[in-house]
Amino acid sequence: MARIVMKFGGTSVATVERIRNVGAHVKREVDAGNEVAVVVSAMAGATNQLVAWTREASAIHDAREYDAIVASGEQVTSGLLAIVLQDMGVPARSFQGWQIPLRTDGTHGSARIDSIDGSALISRMTDGQVPVIAGFQGIAPDNRIATLGRGGSDTSAVAVAAAVGADRCDIYTDVDGVYTTDPRIVPKAQRMERIAFEEMLEMASLGAKVLQVRSVEMAMVHKVRVFVRSSFDAPDAPQVGPNGLPPGTLICDEDEIVEQQVVTGIAYSKDEAQITLRRVEDKPGVAAGVFGPLAEAAINVDMIVQNISEDGRTTDITFTLPTGDQERTLQILESKKAEIGFTELNTNADVCKVSVIGIGMRSHAGVAAQAFEALAKRGVNIRAITTSEIKISVLIDAAYAELAVRTLHSVYGLDKA
């Protein structure tokens, strides 16, 4: 017998018929003798509709009321699934985040989880009942509903799994696992049986959309084994593959992966903007003058390149950030122009970040050189580079994004993984 948390995303619960399919997946685990808790997202499209209604009511609105509105999508789903399970003969009860309670900080709209008390859920599970939990939400210090940001149901599920000491957390979605890259770009992309937490964290933060970044962070901190699985597989399909694992991809500690490839996957993000400050006075503190105000505005800067300007006396500073923060960043920099002392501000949103990821890079030399040589042969110019122990990211023109992904996927042998 195992203790399992099962999470189902919006496409998995898009209709009542799909919710019945989810119920069959849950019943299968209960019938196998497992203790089960379920976390659900809103039905596909429901959150978008709620957000649209909120914006229609007022372009500038109270964040607490925004949370009260958008959290209702998950509440509907949890109630419907509880009813479906009861109809199948499975004891079930719906829970909203505040009823657990899942406590958050006070940042309405993008709250972070402070604590979660799993005792009530454990009691229900040991008594044979299935708690069906509305994901994406908790209770803030002001005793009002707080939401965790888009994709927050993944984080809710991992938090619940950690709180109840689950053996694993199964994330059911519309894909059947984590691939070496986007199969829509590279048809030969391979589904991975296992991927380390650190690698998945890099993949998620660098463009892979399978899991929310914060959910992977939480899983890594609390050592929660996570399976990414497809809810579109038949509920009565075999549950153990040749590798002894359920179908899908296991996200786990590095120690569980016996043979680590040098490169695990290729991620890409077109949601990038490049900003260059030209002819900035080259003196101590200038970088702090540029990036301090951006940090205060919670703008996440990624690649940073600084070099001597053409005149030899000043410096040029180039950096990247999400395109959604571009306008805000430009406003901040313009307001600080006199303090920073730049003469020209250039922007370019027609860029893409492509990243090579793998824990095996720690112990292998020449991985970066291999990437640069392969891209050069295909005529792909690199605008900026950033590296860590387990990743290399390059910024290139967006027009070359798919070519770069296919080239790197092939050069590291991932086509035949």
Side-chain angles (χ1 to χ4, degrees):
M1 184 180 72
R3 180 172 292 166
I4 302 170
V5 173
M6 306 172 73
K7 183 266 175 178
F8 294 90
T11 53
S12 305
V13 294
T15 64
V16 172
E17 190 55 40
R18 293 295 309 155
I19 291 174
R20 287 197 180 95
N21 180 69
V22 165
H25 279 284
V26 176
K27 187 176 188 300
R28 179 196 68 232
E29 298 294 352
V30 172
D31 289 347
N34 296 317
E35 294 178 356
V36 178
V38 184
V39 175
V40 292
S41 298
M43 299 166 81
T47 302
N48 288 340
Q49 180 63 75
L50 293 167
V51 170
W53 283 337
T54 306
R55 289 175 177 165
E56 184 180 346
S58 174
I60 302 174
H61 43 260
D62 189 320
R64 290 165 295 186
E65 300 308 330
Y66 170 90
D67 277 353
I69 296 164
V70 298
S72 63
E74 282 73 15
Q75 295 169 23
V76 170
T77 313
S78 61
L80 288 173
L81 180 55
I83 288 171
V84 164
L85 287 171
Q86 291 168 4
D87 197 50
M88 292 178 169
V90 177
R93 182 64 63 204
S94 66
F95 284 84
Q96 297 173 27
W98 63 267
Q99 291 175 298
I100 296 173
L102 188 155
R103 300 193 180 278
T104 74
D105 63 16
T107 312
H108 285 276
S110 58
R112 299 189 72 87
I113 297 173
D114 281 343
S115 66
I116 176 169
D117 184 352
S119 57
L121 297 177
I122 292 171
S123 176
R124 298 263 183 172
M125 294 166 74
T126 53
D127 287 344
Q129 189 178 87
V130 175
V132 183
I133 301 157
F136 174 62
Q137 61 185 263
I139 183 168
D142 58 5
N143 276 339
R144 297 194 62 87
I145 291 173
T147 62
L148 308 180
R150 298 305 291 264
S153 292
D154 287 346
T155 305
S156 297
V158 174
V160 168
V164 302
D167 295 288
R168 69 176 197 255
C169 178
D170 291 355
I171 305 286
Y172 286 81
T173 181
D174 54 359
V175 295
D176 61 352
V178 181
Y179 280 72
T180 49
T181 195
D182 188 341
R184 294 170 298 180
I185 292 180
V186 183
K188 291 182 179 180
Q190 305 291 316
R191 187 182 74 188
M192 293 178 271
E193 289 186 357
R194 301 171 190 252
I195 182 172
F197 289 125
E198 287 181 80
E199 292 172 319
M200 190 65 234
L201 186 58
E202 292 285 8
M203 293 277 284
S205 64
L206 294 168
K209 306 296 184 185
V210 180
L211 289 175
Q212 190 202 44
V213 174
R214 281 164 56 191
S215 69
V216 184
E217 289 176 344
M218 185 169 290
M220 183 165 65
V221 169
H222 295 284
K223 304 295 184 187
V224 175
R225 299 167 87 239
V226 175
F227 278 93
V228 177
R229 307 179 58 176
S230 173
S231 64
F232 294 94
D233 289 343
D236 57 356
Q239 291 303 298
V240 179
N243 56 4
L245 300 173
T249 299
L250 171 63
I251 304 167
C252 58
D253 195 86
E254 183 181 347
D255 295 341
E256 288 194 55
I257 302 176
V258 178
E259 188 174 347
Q260 186 63 249
Q261 287 183 274
V262 177
V263 171
T264 299
I266 311 295
Y268 71 97
S269 172
K270 293 183 178 179
D271 180 31
E272 301 291 326
Q274 177 183 346
I275 293 179
T276 301
L277 301 175
R278 298 203 179 277
R279 291 180 290 281
V280 182
E281 189 177 349
D282 193 9
K283 62 180 181 180
V286 68
V290 172
F291 298 111
L294 300 183
E296 290 172 9
I299 294 173
N300 186 30
V301 172
D302 185 15
M303 299 177 170
I304 301 174
V305 178
Q306 183 174 350
N307 49 37
I308 300 300
S309 300
E310 294 174 1
D311 58 18
R313 298 188 305 274
T314 56
T315 185
D316 291 345
I317 299 176
T318 298
F319 59 93
T320 64
L321 72 173
T323 51
D325 291 328
Q326 182 179 355
E327 287 305 316
R328 209 153 49 101
T329 300
L330 293 177
Q331 291 172 7
I332 292 170
L333 293 175
E334 288 290 356
S335 71
K336 301 286 185 181
K337 184 174 182 178
E339 298 172 38
I340 299 171
F342 61 88
T343 61
E344 190 179 337
L345 180 58
N346 301 139
T347 66
N348 183 3
D350 195 23
V351 293
C352 175
K353 180 170 62 180
V354 179
S355 304
V356 177
I357 299 154
I359 283 180
M361 291 166 59
R362 287 175 178 159
S363 54
H364 287 78
V367 179
Q370 196 174 1
F372 304 153
E373 183 179 350
L375 293 175
K377 285 181 179 177
R378 302 306 296 268
V380 179
N381 184 50
I382 298 173
R383 290 172 166 268
I385 302 166
T386 185
T387 64
S388 74
E389 271 194 322
I390 66 168
K391 76 108 191 282
I392 304 155
S393 292
V394 296
L395 189 72
I396 61 174
D397 291 338
Y400 294 95
E402 294 189 9
L403 173 62
V405 170
R406 288 193 295 268
T407 299
L408 294 174
H409 194 269
S410 177
V411 79
Y412 291 114
L414 297 177
D415 289 350
K416 6 175 222 237

